[in-house]
Amino acid sequence: MVLQELGQKIRDALNKLNKSDEIDKKLLNEMLNAIALALIKSDVNLHMVKSLQEKIRSQFDEMEEDVGNKKLMVQRSVVQALQELLTSKKKPYKMLKGKSNVIMFVGLQGSGKTTTCTKYANFYQKKGWKVGLVCADTFRAGAFDQLKQNAAKCRIPFYGSYTEMDPVKIAEEGVSKFKKEKYEIIIVDTSGRHKQEEALFDEMKQVSSAIQPSDIIFVMDSHIGQACHDQALAFNKAVEIGSVIITKLDGHAKGGGALSAVAATQSPIIFIGTGEHFDDFEQFNPESFIKRLLGMGDIKGLFEKIQDVYSQEKQEELAGKISKGIFTIKDMRDQYTSIMKMGPLDKVLNMIPGMADIMPEGGEKEASKKIKKYLCMMDSMTEAELNCKDKIDDSRAKRIARGSGCHFLEVKLMMEEYKKFSKIVSRMGGLVKGKGGDITQIQRNPNAFMNKMGSVIPQNILNKMGGTGGIMNMMKEFQNLEGLQNIPGIKKKYKKGK
């Protein structure tokens, strides 16, 4: 059972519980059995599934008979138990700025280790770290060529050799070189190996002993199912695994075996690979992962993505325009550009509660294609047209179509979408006007705010998000986020927890 199906099966079991008049042990067992079957089909370890069931039953037995909302408490118990399944007590290694952090990658052959090294390097380089790659894989033909090509695409310095066959020597020389040049993160890619290959395991120990890594990352392929557990155990006995990265964890992977096998290493999952591109790589958070899997959204993850894309200056400019109800074609272009930077549209939608299923299968590619086409059209506009100072009549629309290689009717369609967005922003401007003139109105008069919000958001979307109550819960979660006080309009009056 792939991850998408797993999430749907668990959602169905929880929804069946919510629709019942009251909850008893029989109904609880039916729900737990449905969830257990879904987890086992997704390759989650059987002992872990049994432990999860026992934990939820135990919490149910401890609930008082007259407790107000048992169904909600049971749902929270399920979510919490699933989160604990993926949570390690061990803390991940914390990078030290200004020092050389040596990170050694290990894993099975074919697990996507070399590509993951590049993704990891690319992630930190974008955040301003000085990163270097070392290829100590002399076992697989073409390993150095692959790493060199990947590094060149991301403009990351690398070290390796076509003539030297001793991986220990290459690792030592590469680490020494990058340390002298004051590199902050030095990533060492090693040969893929299997638990039966004793010689390669001895080699891995020698490399580790020679370079004394700050952290050893085990790269685990989500497609190998229950075999993950034994492999993870073997690697952890050979070298001390500090962190885990799970690869190929897209919607078509089972993933349960890899996720539950992390318990064998007692190490935290720090990243997951969700596609072939270097940007298909995200930091792992058990709470966010489970919430997205169950269609409950990930407000924290969405907020972090917004902060990565929007500078403080952009935030201030956007907040000012929304408060005045202003939205130009140039603003729409900026928003589309920012959305594309945030990653695949389906993943962004998964972060919004109730929106996990809004994108039809294959719809993400079509939506991305349409946005790119719109951006081409907007690049063919004059500055006055972008700022809505010159009205786009048929003559201008034909010129824009020729300049962007699109059809005249496609330009007209884009303008219709712009008008819809502009109308929504105009209504949103009314939400933050009045006393205080900022988003803290949510705190002062939440009911009035939600009534206005209901008039802005289309009814079909509002229903998917759980109505005005769902929006209110989302806003409450949003208000408790770290860093919210830095957003313009909130920073002066924001008081955490209110």
Side-chain angles (χ1 to χ4, degrees):
M1 182 180 291
V2 300
L3 280 178
Q4 288 175 340
E5 291 175 16
L6 170 63
Q8 187 60 55
K9 290 288 184 185
I10 297 176
R11 288 202 294 272
D12 290 344
L14 291 173
N15 287 336
K16 189 176 179 181
L17 177 77
N18 288 331
K19 288 176 182 176
S20 62
D21 294 328
E22 58 181 78
I23 181 170
D24 55 20
K25 281 195 174 182
K26 183 182 177 183
L27 188 62
L28 178 78
N29 286 331
E30 284 178 9
M31 180 201 71
L32 289 177
N33 288 338
I35 291 173
L37 183 62
L39 290 169
I40 291 167
K41 282 186 176 180
S42 190
D43 277 336
V44 177
N45 184 278
L46 181 61
H47 296 295
M48 289 186 171
V49 174
K50 284 185 176 179
S51 175
L52 180 140
Q53 284 181 303
E54 288 168 8
K55 188 174 289 184
I56 296 169
R57 283 196 185 101
S58 174
Q59 289 175 350
F60 179 79
D61 290 338
E62 290 172 7
M63 292 178 194
E64 297 176 14
E65 285 298 321
D66 59 346
V67 70
N69 196 338
K70 259 190 177 182
K71 288 186 285 187
L72 183 61
M73 292 182 73
V74 169
Q75 183 173 306
R76 285 176 180 168
S77 293
V78 172
V79 174
Q80 188 180 1
L82 288 168
Q83 287 173 15
E84 288 174 2
L85 193 71
L86 306 177
T87 303
S88 170
K89 292 178 182 178
K90 188 176 177 181
K91 296 291 181 184
Y93 173 74
K94 190 174 181 180
M95 295 287 186
L96 301 173
K97 198 74 179 173
K99 294 188 177 181
S100 293
N101 303 272
V102 180
I103 314 296
M104 179 175 165
F105 276 66
V106 300
L108 291 172
Q109 289 174 342
S111 62
K113 187 165 43 57
T114 301
T115 301
T116 302
C117 284
T118 314
K119 287 183 176 183
Y120 186 85
N122 184 52
F123 176 87
Y124 279 103
Q125 183 172 260
K126 282 187 173 181
K127 290 188 176 291
W129 293 75
K130 194 176 181 183
V131 186
L133 281 162
V134 179
C135 180
D137 182 356
T138 58
F139 182 77
R140 179 170 64 90
F144 181 39
D145 282 328
Q146 184 190 350
L147 183 135
K148 187 164 72 169
Q149 287 168 12
N150 288 350
K153 287 175 185 175
C154 296
R155 298 183 180 180
I156 298 166
F158 60 89
Y159 180 86
S161 175
Y162 285 114
T163 54
E164 179 59 60
M165 297 307 294
D166 183 359
V168 178
K169 190 173 181 182
I170 293 172
E172 277 185 309
E173 289 175 353
V175 169
S176 177
K177 175 185 180 295
F178 284 128
K179 276 186 175 180
K180 284 177 185 176
E181 295 172 9
K182 306 293 182 186
Y183 276 74
E184 295 169 304
I185 300 176
I186 305 165
I187 300 161
V188 181
D189 182 21
T190 63
S191 303
R193 59 205 82 225
H194 191 275
K195 67 174 184 172
Q196 274 84 27
E197 297 168 320
E198 290 185 18
L200 284 175
F201 261 72
D202 288 339
E203 176 193 285
M204 180 174 67
K205 292 177 188 176
Q206 290 170 26
V207 172
S208 175
S209 178
I211 64 174
Q212 293 294 305
S214 312
D215 190 25
I216 297 178
I217 295 176
F218 177 49
V219 180
M220 191 184 295
D221 183 346
S222 67
H223 287 81
I224 66 172
Q226 292 282 353
C228 281
H229 185 272
D230 292 342
Q231 294 293 343
L233 205 59
F235 273 86
N236 199 46
K237 284 180 180 177
V239 292
E240 188 179 348
I241 303 295
S243 313
V244 175
I245 294 176
I246 298 179
T247 62
K248 308 172 190 176
L249 199 64
D250 52 26
H252 303 291
K254 277 191 173 182
L259 292 165
S260 59
V262 174
T265 66
Q266 293 295 307
S267 302
I269 305 169
I270 53 171
F271 286 95
I272 55 175
T274 55
E276 297 175 2
H277 301 293
F278 295 126
D279 288 328
D280 294 334
F281 193 63
E282 59 184 73
Q283 284 183 292
F284 182 81
N285 178 284
E287 181 183 356
S288 297
F289 182 82
I290 292 298
K291 281 188 172 182
R292 273 185 280 168
L293 186 69
L294 301 183
M296 298 167 68
D298 177 16
I299 299 300
K300 183 180 178 183
L302 181 62
F303 183 61
E304 287 170 355
K305 277 189 176 290
I306 290 170
Q307 284 189 309
D308 283 343
V309 170
Y310 289 92
S311 64
Q312 187 69 21
E313 188 180 335
K314 273 188 177 182
Q315 286 179 36
E316 290 175 2
E317 185 183 349
L318 182 62
K321 285 189 172 185
I322 289 175
S323 67
K324 294 173 184 175
I326 297 171
F327 190 72
T328 64
I329 298 172
K330 188 175 183 179
D331 294 327
M332 186 167 82
R333 184 187 67 180
D334 291 344
Q335 298 317 307
Y336 275 146
T337 303
S338 298
I339 288 168
M340 295 301 284
K341 286 180 182 177
M342 287 171 72
L345 292 175
D346 55 345
K347 290 186 175 67
V348 176
L349 285 171
N350 276 345
M351 293 180 172
I352 304 172
M355 304 294 277
D357 302 321
I358 197 169
M359 182 75 72
E361 192 171 344
E364 192 275 328
K365 287 184 180 178
E366 284 301 312
S368 295
K369 186 179 176 181
K370 186 173 80 169
I371 288 175
K372 287 173 183 175
K373 191 175 281 189
Y374 283 178
L375 288 171
C376 284
M377 293 177 198
M378 288 183 268
D379 285 341
S380 296
M381 292 182 182
T382 65
E383 197 67 24
E385 287 167 346
L386 287 170
N387 289 312
C388 297
K389 290 178 180 177
D390 287 345
K391 186 179 178 182
I392 297 175
D393 54 19
D394 286 356
S395 176
R396 289 177 183 271
K398 286 174 183 176
R399 192 206 76 238
I400 293 164
R402 287 195 302 272
S404 59
C406 299
H407 195 279
F408 164 74
L409 292 176
E410 289 179 309
V411 177
K412 298 291 280 184
L413 183 64
M414 183 199 73
M415 290 308 299
E416 286 301 314
E417 292 211 12
Y418 160 69
K419 287 174 186 174
K420 288 178 186 176
F421 283 132
S422 182
K423 194 174 182 180
I424 290 172
V425 173
S426 179
R427 288 177 180 173
M428 285 181 70
L431 295 179
V432 292
K433 285 178 181 175
K435 188 179 178 183
D438 57 49
I439 299 174
T440 54
Q441 289 179 75
I442 303 168
Q443 298 167 338
R444 291 193 297 271
N445 196 345
N447 291 331
F449 184 88
M450 293 319 300
N451 287 335
K452 287 182 180 180
M453 183 66 85
S455 68
V456 170
I457 301 172
Q459 193 59 46
N460 62 325
I461 301 295
L462 190 65
N463 292 340
K464 281 184 174 290
M465 297 174 78
T468 53
I471 296 282
M472 195 67 210
N473 290 333
M474 186 174 74
M475 295 306 290
K476 283 178 181 176
E477 189 175 347
F478 185 75
Q479 283 179 288
N480 288 323
L481 293 173
E482 290 289 334
L484 182 68
Q485 59 269 41
N486 296 322
I487 292 180
I490 294 181
K491 57 185 175 184
K492 291 181 181 177
K493 298 186 180 183
Y494 174 84
K495 289 183 180 179
K496 191 174 179 184
K498 290 190 179 181

